[in-house]
Amino acid sequence: MTLLPDNGADLSSDPPPDDMSMLALARIETHYFVNGAFLEEGQLLANAHRMSRIPGVIVQGRYDAVTPR
């Protein structure tokens, strides 16, 4: 997904995925979404202490059109 206009330029260095690959990805994503990512309610916050020694940064992009919140 991009907010850039489609000017016909190929912006990726990877070949475009074929239809079967896209279908497989959609099925896997849907399986996780339907099953709540296999997490119990509040599980991430309840176990956040387990990640306290792992450095990390959460970045939310200004133009994030896929996950805007």
Side-chain angles (χ1 to χ4, degrees):
M1 179 168 209
T2 180
L3 294 175
L4 298 173
D6 181 10
N7 62 3
D10 182 12
L11 301 177
S12 70
S13 60
D14 296 329
D18 60 88
D19 290 344
M20 292 304 289
S21 295
M22 295 300 289
L23 179 58
L25 178 61
R27 286 179 172 164
I28 291 168
E29 288 178 345
T30 301
H31 184 66
Y32 271 82
F33 293 144
V34 166
N35 290 286
F38 300 98
L39 296 170
E40 299 293 328
E41 183 70 33
Q43 183 177 351
L44 287 178
L45 291 178
N47 292 304
H49 66 279
R50 297 176 67 187
M51 298 182 286
S52 65
R53 295 185 180 170
I54 301 171
V57 177
I58 298 173
V59 177
Q60 179 66 39
R62 178 178 179 185
Y63 298 111
D64 187 348
V66 177
T67 54
R69 297 177 196 199

